[in-house]
Amino acid sequence: MKILITGANGQLGQEFQKKFNQLKISYIPTDYQQLDITNIEQIRKLVQKEKDITHIINCAAYNNVDKAEVEWEKAYTINGLAIRNLAIVSNEINAELIHYSTDYVFSGTKKEYTIYDEPSPINKYGESKALGEKEVKQAQRYYLIRVSWVFGMGNINFAKKVISWSKDKEELSITTDEKSAPTYTVDLVEATLELIKHKVYGLYHITNTPCTRYEWAEYILKQIGWRGRLNQAKRSDFNLPAIRPESSVLNNFGYNQVTGKSMPDWKDATKRFLKEMGYNL
């Protein structure tokens, strides 16, 4: 195996690098400074230089949900058109393409979504990721993996934000009407490699188990011994530019059937993450 990682400096990209170093798997880490995936000729030039690439793992994405309402063309380009470029190049070099999408491709009006459900995004970010889902299908061999609420050691995420807020605030307000499933980067990397091993291409949902934003924050704060007050809030209290889905739980049906494995519980994943952060639990 020789793997090209795009978006290698993001939290998922960093996790793959750690894993590949452990397994002694050959990889080429690139971020937007080294490789602009919106430019197909740049991708072609790189793969011609780095011969024998067997897999392209795309961890690059435009992730600013609120800014995407205004910068929708940028979001569509990075999350949509760039995926078309990766799909075309993966075909040209006969490589497998692994691409990640999001629960935000759904409206959030159902309690949970399976791989059967058709995307119905309610914000521009969700639309841009839904466009990427269409484009990835140009690849002859692809894994399209939907995730939600990704968290890990690299970069900022909701879990890290909660910890940061708790350091200088005695009172926090977190939404009770946003439900999805945290996805720990360590578990996601393991699950992705499991799929690659089985070579069953297609669409998957891979997350830990479901909870609300409030339940997740409450658990984190309890584990780290915060003594402040946690208030229940609603999405409407924050007046954000982009609408968020109320319940966008992804059902992992398909992954379990192919691999014979289940994703760990969200509390277990969160506890392991906090230990990785240095908390003595």
Side-chain angles (χ1 to χ4, degrees), residues 4-9 28-35 37 46:
L4 170 63
I5 307 173
T6 63
N9 293 342
I28 305 128
T30 65
D31 214 71
Y32 66 91
Q33 295 96 335
Q34 299 90 30
L35 180 65
I37 61 170
L46 186 140

Side-chain angles (χ1 to χ4, degrees), residues 2 26 28 46-54 93:
K2 186 176 180 183
S26 175
I28 305 128
L46 186 140
V47 299
Q48 281 159 12
K49 181 185 163 195
E50 298 280 356
K51 297 193 187 309
D52 304 320
I53 290 170
T54 58
I93 63 169

